[in-house]
Amino acid sequence: MSRANGILSKLRYNAPRSVCLNVYYSIFYSHLIYGSTVWGLTSETNIRKIEKLQEKCAKILTFSNFNSDPDHAINELRLTRVR
């Protein structure tokens, strides 16, 4: 999933947001859903790592500062949260 963040960080300058969201859903979200059965049984620490990756992805797509509130970016994109 961190690879998807790298792809999106390069793509966001050259493609419209709708294309970036399609890439998000095809790469990042598909891994998120596929692993949800495994992550349901993991520790809180591992789930928090996944949440951080999703928050970083939302900040990348909205061109937010990395120290800004991730909830605003996730709500703006209407993404489903990990929890």
Side-chain angles (χ1 to χ4, degrees):
M1 287 192 284
S2 61
R3 183 178 291 166
N5 283 346
I7 292 169
L8 288 170
S9 68
K10 290 175 177 58
L11 182 68
R12 70 182 175 162
Y13 294 106
N14 301 317
R17 185 180 281 182
S18 61
V19 172
C20 291
L21 280 173
N22 284 337
V23 171
Y24 165 81
Y25 281 112
S26 64
I27 298 174
F28 191 93
Y29 191 73
S30 63
H31 282 84
L32 192 68
I33 294 301
Y34 180 74
S36 65
T37 56
V38 175
W39 295 326
L41 302 173
T42 191
S43 68
E44 186 67 29
T45 305
N46 290 334
I47 291 175
R48 186 68 190 140
K49 290 178 186 178
I50 296 166
E51 286 176 336
K52 287 286 189 184
L53 285 172
Q54 186 183 33
E55 291 170 357
K56 183 177 180 180
C57 188
K59 289 178 185 181
I60 287 170
L61 289 175
T62 58
F63 289 91
S64 299
N65 292 331
F66 285 101
N67 57 355
S68 65
D69 183 31
D71 293 332
H72 177 69
I74 289 173
N75 291 336
E76 181 181 334
L77 296 171
R78 298 183 190 156
L79 301 178
T80 305
R81 287 192 98 21
V82 173
R83 287 189 185 202

